[in-house]
Amino acid sequence: MMRLPSMPKRLHGLSIWALYAAGLIPAVWTFYLGATGQLIGNPVKIFEHLLGEWALRFLILTLAISPLRDLAGINWLRYRRALGLLAFYYVAMHFLAYMVLDKRLAFGVIIDDVVKRWFITIGMAALVMLIPLALTSNRWSIRKLGPGWAKLHRLIYPVAAAGALHFYLSVKVIGARELIYAGLIVVLIGWRLVRRRFMAWKRATGARSSPIAGSA
């Protein structure tokens, strides 16, 4: 396996902030296009859908960090918190776009949607589960919660499953993109289920991963 140069440690913090900045560009740019009348069709729905899709993408990237380290020796753990928070930001913006831009704060209609439309119920459940993960994504919470922190953050797996199902049910036509997202979520959750056995087998056979790009 080819070894790629590692990033200097002094640039780690800067690279994380760069990830936050780059991660928010799709939301800012699409909002600008919609606000200036450059989105063809229904700009509110386009913006709302884009926010939800990027939330799902960041959830997938968050779940992919551990398999990348385990299987390819790529250690990007320092980016996992940023990716998870970006997923939360996009879910929150998706929800706000739905409430404010789409439904115009008609709470009766919103409550009726949550109760009667299953894909919205599932999406709301994902948001509720994400909130404690976002609030505890800091070193203080890790110290305070101890072993309970890791147990709490396993909610990321049902959140990802709910997010994929919400996205899958919200579209009128199921295409390759929806199937790819669903497949990636299934594979990443499946990896979580078999990871302990695989790593035990790997240690027993003396296999070693070679760290490459981004190793800390």
Side-chain angles (χ1 to χ4, degrees), residues 49-62 83-84 86-94 130 159-160 163:
H49 183 80
L50 174 131
L51 294 173
E53 187 168 356
W54 273 99
L56 187 59
R57 290 171 179 173
F58 281 118
L59 282 171
I60 290 171
L61 290 174
T62 303
L83 291 169
L86 281 168
F88 171 74
Y89 297 153
Y90 271 92
V91 170
M93 288 189 290
H94 175 67
L130 260 179
V159 165

Side-chain angles (χ1 to χ4, degrees), residues 7-20 78-79 82 139:
M7 178 183 295
K9 193 171 183 179
R10 67 180 183 277
L11 297 179
H12 287 183
L14 181 62
S15 68
I16 292 171
W17 285 110
L19 174 59
Y20 279 117
R78 61 179 172 273
Y79 299 117
R139 294 179 181 178

Side-chain angles (χ1 to χ4, degrees), residues 4 34 62 68 80 82 111 115 121 123-124 131 153-154 171 183 194:
L4 299 177
T62 303
L68 280 174
R80 185 163 60 184
I111 293 172
V115 172
T121 307
M124 184 67 69
I131 291 173
H153 278 253
R154 288 173 191 159
V171 298
V194 302

